[in-house]
Each structure stands twice: as C-alpha cells, then as structure tokens.
C-alpha cells in the first residue's frame, strides 16, 4: 500500500452541495496553490478532527490515499450525481498516476453514476486525459472541470481544460473573487458560480455574476448559481433576479446492474 494511504471510514451518500447528490473521497487532504484556496472549507472541516483517534480526518488535511473507498460507488443502491474528491484534488502532484487510473477505472465501470471531477491542477488534468486517462476521457458519464476564482490563476485553467479531450467540461467559478472579464466558453458545457462563505469570506459583486450569466447565455453554456456566500450564507441565499438558476448538462443514463454483479466488481476493485 502506498505510504500516503489511509483508512476508509465515513460514507457520504448524500451531500448538501447544491449541484451534486453525493461525494466520494478516495483521496483526502490537499495543499493550497492559489488565492481561491485561502479559506478552504475542506481544510477547515478536516482540521477540526486532527488527533481524534479513528476519525477519518485524524490526520487533519494531510494528503492521504484511501483505497478502501474505491469500491464505494458499486455499493450505492441507486444512481447518483457524484462529486469526486470534495475533500481533495484528484490531480494533486502527490497522487500517483496509477492511483488516479484506479479511480478512473471505477468511474468508467460504475457508469450508472455521473461523476463531477474538479481540479485546480488543470495542466495535469490535460496531460493525463490525453495519455493514461484516454479511456476515461471519452466516458460521457464523467464530467471534468476546473476552478476559476480570478483572472490570473483561474482563467488560464479554462484553456487547459478546453485542450483536454472530454465529453463534458465544466467550470466552478467559486469563490468568485473579481470580475473575470470576457471568457471564451467554447467547448465548455456548464458553469457554476458562487461566492465565498464562512468566516473571513471575501465579497462577491452582483455585476461579476451577471457578466458570467450573460456570457453563458451568449455562448450556450448551462448556468448554475450556487450562492451569494458571506459569513452567513443562509441569509444571503442563492436567488438572482428573483429566481434560482439550477441548470445542468443532460446526464447520460445507464442501467444499474444487479447486486451480484456490483458486488463482484466491488471485490475486484479492492483486490487490485
């Protein structure tokens, strides 16, 4: 087992994140690489449990592989939209290519779920989807996305994503920290926008959001407005122009195999 590997407890069959149904974390922990990471919700959550024996985050936000979680999608009894590594980044430099391939193998095999893979390491995403992950790049049930928080760090990731072979590409423009100006959304199918929330949340302006909405409309990208954010996000809500925007690309539907088949596949993944 890789020295980064950790134990796999905790199941997240249901998620409070507005644009997904469930989270799946075969990797835990990450490191900051850009301003969007400053108030990382995942780090804040994980560090609460550092030193708690037996807790999934007893090592806080230190990066760890969790092979015991690889079989989890086979065990869910209904199809879900799944946010992959909500508590990490699949393309982190410390995650071996071989382990990323194992995660992708599960997503391709358990294709009755729709997977949302989000990264700030856009260059590695592009390189691997063009090489070792080509088998997963063509899978219509896997949506590949990058984070975009500002012009300097976030916007260049869009071009990296566009150059990557993928059936569905999306942007998570959250936290939106400034007006990102004009965007080329060609080849981008879905755009999520949201403000930062929690302690120390940096403000997001109405006109920044409207700029992106209008560009999605003119360039035929689906638009999802997640939240205004702020210290108390429940109070600010997620209404824009008096309504909510909950658009998604159309998911591809595949049949859920019988339980015996899913158990067999789950066992095979754990034996790899």
């Amino acid at each position: 087992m890789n020295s980064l590997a950790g134990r796999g407890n905790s199941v997240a069959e249901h998620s409070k994140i507005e644009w997904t149904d469930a989270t799946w974390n075969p990797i835990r922990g990450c490191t900051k690489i850009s301003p969007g990471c400053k108030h990382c919700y995942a780090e804040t959550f994980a560090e609460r449990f550092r030193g708690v024996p037996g807790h999934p985050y007893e090592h806080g936000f230190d990066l760890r592989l969790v092979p015991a979680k690889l079989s989890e999608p086979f065990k869910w009894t209904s199809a879900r939209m799944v946010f992959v590594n909500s508590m990490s980044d699949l393309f982190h430099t410390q995650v071996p290519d071989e382990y990323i391939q194992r995660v992708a193998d599960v997503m391709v095999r358990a294709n009755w779920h729709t997977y949302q893979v989000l990264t700030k390491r856009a260059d590695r995403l592009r390189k691997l989807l063009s090489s070792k992950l080509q088998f997963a790049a063509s899978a219509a049930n896997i949506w590949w996305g990058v984070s975009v928080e500002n012009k300097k760090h976030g916007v260049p990731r869009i071009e990296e994503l566009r150059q990557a072979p993928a059936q569905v590409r999306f942007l998570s423009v959250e936290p939106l920290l400034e007006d990102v100006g004009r965007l080329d959304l060609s080849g981008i199918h879905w755009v999520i926008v949201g403000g930062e929330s929690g302690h120390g949340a940096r403000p997001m302006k109405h006109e920044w959001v409207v700029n992106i909405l209008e560009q999605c409309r003119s360039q035929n990208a689906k638009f999802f407005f997640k939240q205004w954010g702020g210290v108390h996000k429940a109070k600010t809500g997620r209404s824009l122009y008096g309504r909510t925007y909950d658009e998604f690309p159309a998911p591809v539907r595949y049949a859920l195999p019988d339980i015996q088949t899913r158990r067999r596949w789950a066992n095979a993944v754990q034996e790899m």
Side-chain angles (χ1 to χ4, degrees):
M1 183 179 294
N2 189 287
S3 60
L4 292 172
R7 287 175 290 180
N9 299 322
S10 86
V11 174
E13 287 194 55
H14 306 284
S15 173
K16 294 182 179 180
I17 299 171
E18 291 81 354
W19 44 265
T20 199
D21 298 325
T23 58
W24 174 43
N25 286 285
I27 304 167
R28 297 189 187 125
C30 199
T31 53
K32 293 179 170 68
I33 63 168
S34 71
C37 302
K38 183 177 181 180
H39 297 139
C40 177
Y41 75 91
E43 180 185 40
T44 300
F45 174 84
E47 288 298 331
R48 293 176 188 166
F49 303 100
R50 182 179 287 277
V52 179
H55 193 278
Y57 294 96
E58 65 177 309
H59 300 292
F61 209 46
D62 297 347
L63 187 75
R64 286 158 296 137
L65 310 184
V66 192
K69 298 281 283 184
L70 286 171
S71 61
E72 190 170 83
F74 296 108
K75 300 175 182 178
W76 292 336
T77 56
S78 62
R80 289 167 165 78
M81 192 164 286
V82 183
F83 180 15
V84 180
N85 289 315
S86 63
M87 298 293 290
S88 187
D89 188 327
L90 181 64
F91 294 96
H92 194 286
T93 55
Q94 293 181 40
V95 180
D97 288 357
E98 293 72 20
Y99 192 78
I100 297 174
Q101 288 176 268
R102 291 182 67 185
V103 173
D105 282 336
V106 172
M107 294 191 288
V108 169
R109 178 63 66 89
N111 64 0
W112 50 93
H113 300 303
T114 299
Y115 300 91
Q116 302 152 312
V117 183
L118 182 62
T119 185
K120 286 185 174 69
R121 280 83 175 175
D123 56 341
R124 193 175 186 203
L125 175 148
R126 174 183 55 79
K127 291 174 182 176
L128 285 178
L129 286 183
S130 301
S131 56
K132 295 180 180 180
L133 295 184
Q134 282 185 329
F135 70 95
S138 60
N141 68 305
I142 308 176
W143 301 356
W144 304 94
V146 297
S147 298
V148 179
E149 70 270 46
N150 60 15
K151 290 181 180 179
K152 180 179 179 180
H153 303 87
V155 171
R157 297 185 190 122
I158 301 175
E159 185 57 33
E160 295 276 7
L161 176 63
R162 189 175 9 258
Q163 293 180 17
Q167 293 295 307
V168 178
R169 302 181 186 88
F170 73 98
L171 309 180
S172 176
V173 190
E174 182 190 4
L176 177 55
L177 301 178
E178 66 178 5
D179 184 355
V180 292
R182 300 302 301 171
L183 301 174
D184 180 359
L185 298 179
S186 58
I188 305 300
H189 304 90
W190 188 37
V191 179
I192 305 164
V193 176
E196 191 167 53
S197 61
H199 179 71
R202 291 161 284 184
M204 178 179 69
K205 294 185 179 181
H206 180 271
E207 56 265 32
W208 301 349
V209 178
V210 172
N211 174 45
I212 297 173
L213 169 60
E214 291 177 346
Q215 293 187 72
C216 286
R217 290 290 180 261
S218 64
Q219 300 185 59
N220 298 313
K222 300 294 185 182
F223 179 80
F224 190 105
F225 185 55
K226 181 175 180 285
Q227 63 186 29
W228 286 106
V231 178
H232 302 290
K233 71 174 186 177
K235 293 182 179 180
T236 57
R238 50 188 301 264
S239 177
L240 174 64
Y241 290 135
R243 55 161 290 191
T244 57
Y245 290 79
D246 299 318
E247 299 168 5
F248 288 87
V252 176
R253 303 295 186 187
Y254 295 101
L256 179 72
D258 61 73
I259 189 170
Q260 291 81 9
T261 300
R262 289 187 283 119
R263 283 175 177 170
R264 185 172 68 252
W265 288 347
N267 292 335
V269 166
Q270 293 301 165
E271 292 169 1
M272 288 175 62

